[in-house]
Amino acid sequence: MATAPSPAAEAPPLAVRDLTMAYGDNVVMRDLGFAVARGNIFIVMGGSGSGKSTLLRHMIGLQEPAKGEVFYGERSFTRSSEAERNEILRTVGVLYQKGALWSGLTLAENVALPLEEYTKLPPAEIRSLAHLKLSLVGLAGAEDLYPSQISGGMQKRAGLARAIALDPEILFFDEPSAGLDPVSSRRLDDLILLLRDSLGATVVVVTHELASIFTIGDDAVFLDAETRTQIATGHPRELLAHCSDPKVQRFLRRGEDPARAPAK
Ligand SMILES: Nc1ncnc2c1ncn2[C@@H]1O[C@H](COP(=O)(O)OP(=O)(O)O)[C@@H](O)[C@H]1O
Ligand SMILES: [Mg+2]
């Protein structure tokens, strides 16, 4: 009896295959491979200098692999032409480690920039979209302020409003809570969860902040600077409960020796 062919499993929105990253002859990480599932918040974790930011830059085309490929769905980003890459990057939003707002522009003007660059919307509509995005991140009423007039936490949220200006399918964050106090940092985590849910976006977060990792992470990869490769993947709480690698345990327990950690 003939049966309808089962539909091929959907390719993950983002995947890294057999990736080696290097600066000249200096290999930072080799043999990286993982897939980011749709709608997940995926954490890239590891100690400082392990290559987290370098990995993020590879995923958005700011650096080229020494070996291996980055995929968006079925498409190899690495093998794409510049025009194809731009088309893919149009569906991506990035919040860089150092806020990166234009200091000479108001918050509304900062958020309007990508809309002006990538859409043909009339100015009034761009203004109203910029206001909408700012209100989504809790900055209604701050549209006409300049970055220097607001706190670090508000600057991060304004950067986030700009990152979501074009309704991205994938959002990248590099150390979003760096330099924030614990309350602002928690607020940013809540906002990342809210945006993932309301935009239906897939989120990649580079961080070494344990509080964030356990609050927002659905899945994770651990980069180990010593062996220069990934030594664990999985849900952060599952890794905490079951990963047998002592380096991963030390990291997730903030340096505490797992053998002596109190039973939870
Ligand atoms: N522009 C660069 N040129 C050469 N080496 C670099 C450069 N940027 C980073 N590195 C090296 O690559 C490694 C990983 O850096 P990075 O990706 O910034 O780590 P992380 O974000 O995990 O702290 C580090 O050893 C760092 O010294
Ligand atoms: Mg970094």
Side-chain angles (χ1 to χ4, degrees):
M1 194 171 74
T3 52
S6 65
E10 186 202 32
L14 180 68
V16 161
R17 294 192 198 149
D18 194 24
L19 180 68
T20 293
M21 315 189 291
Y23 292 96
D25 290 337
N26 179 25
V27 171
V28 175
M29 281 278 140
R30 59 166 59 88
D31 302 332
L32 300 185
F34 55 84
V36 178
R38 189 171 303 284
N40 264 7
I41 296 180
F42 185 94
I43 310 280
V44 176
M45 59 187 180
S48 95
S50 58
K52 303 183 298 296
S53 297
T54 303
L55 175 56
L56 187 144
R57 288 197 294 272
H58 277 74
M59 294 193 284
I60 56 178
L62 297 178
Q63 280 178 250
E64 296 307 313
K67 179 166 168 263
E69 286 174 73
V70 174
F71 284 81
Y72 281 77
E74 308 276 0
R75 303 164 89 180
S76 167
F77 182 76
T78 308
R79 290 166 189 271
S80 288
S81 66
E82 196 182 330
E84 289 167 330
R85 283 187 177 205
N86 285 335
E87 193 184 308
I88 292 170
L89 290 176
R90 168 75 173 70
T91 68
V92 160
V94 186
L95 181 61
Y96 293 99
Q97 192 160 357
K98 304 222 165 66
L101 295 169
W102 293 97
S103 59
L105 300 181
T106 66
L107 302 191
E109 288 165 350
N110 266 284
V111 178
L113 270 186
L115 294 160
E116 284 160 359
E117 188 173 350
Y118 289 102
T119 74
K120 294 188 164 58
L121 295 171
E125 202 157 324
I126 287 182
R127 252 194 320 277
S128 96
L129 269 174
H131 284 217
L132 172 71
K133 301 296 176 182
L134 282 165
S135 69
L136 271 177
V137 301
L139 288 174
E143 292 86 357
D144 298 326
L145 297 179
Y146 288 87
S148 62
Q149 297 175 298
I150 60 176
S151 70
M154 290 167 81
Q155 289 178 9
K156 285 285 167 78
R157 285 187 276 132
L160 183 47
R162 190 179 55 189
I164 60 170
L166 295 163
D167 297 325
E169 290 165 28
I170 306 186
L171 265 170
F172 291 96
F173 296 89
D174 194 355
E175 304 279 2
S177 46
L180 297 186
D181 63 75
V183 173
S184 308
S185 170
R186 175 65 207 231
R187 188 154 179 214
L188 194 64
D189 282 347
D190 289 341
L191 191 56
I192 293 171
L193 288 166
L194 179 79
L195 291 175
R196 184 270 304 269
D197 294 341
S198 60
L199 298 173
T202 302
V203 182
V204 177
V205 183
V206 164
T207 185
H208 64 264
E209 295 277 338
L210 287 178
S212 291
I213 290 170
F214 290 122
T215 304
I216 65 176
D218 295 307
D219 196 2
V221 62
F222 183 89
L223 307 185
D224 176 44
E226 203 177 52
T227 54
R228 302 196 180 187
T229 190
Q230 68 188 54
I231 57 172
T233 52
H235 192 291
R237 289 184 191 283
E238 291 288 311
L239 291 176
L240 179 65
H242 301 299
C243 180
S244 60
D245 190 293
K247 276 186 276 196
V248 177
Q249 285 295 335
R250 268 200 301 280
F251 178 85
L252 292 175
R253 296 176 191 273
R254 200 178 260 121
E256 220 177 313
D257 182 344
R260 294 170 53 189
K264 291 252 157 61

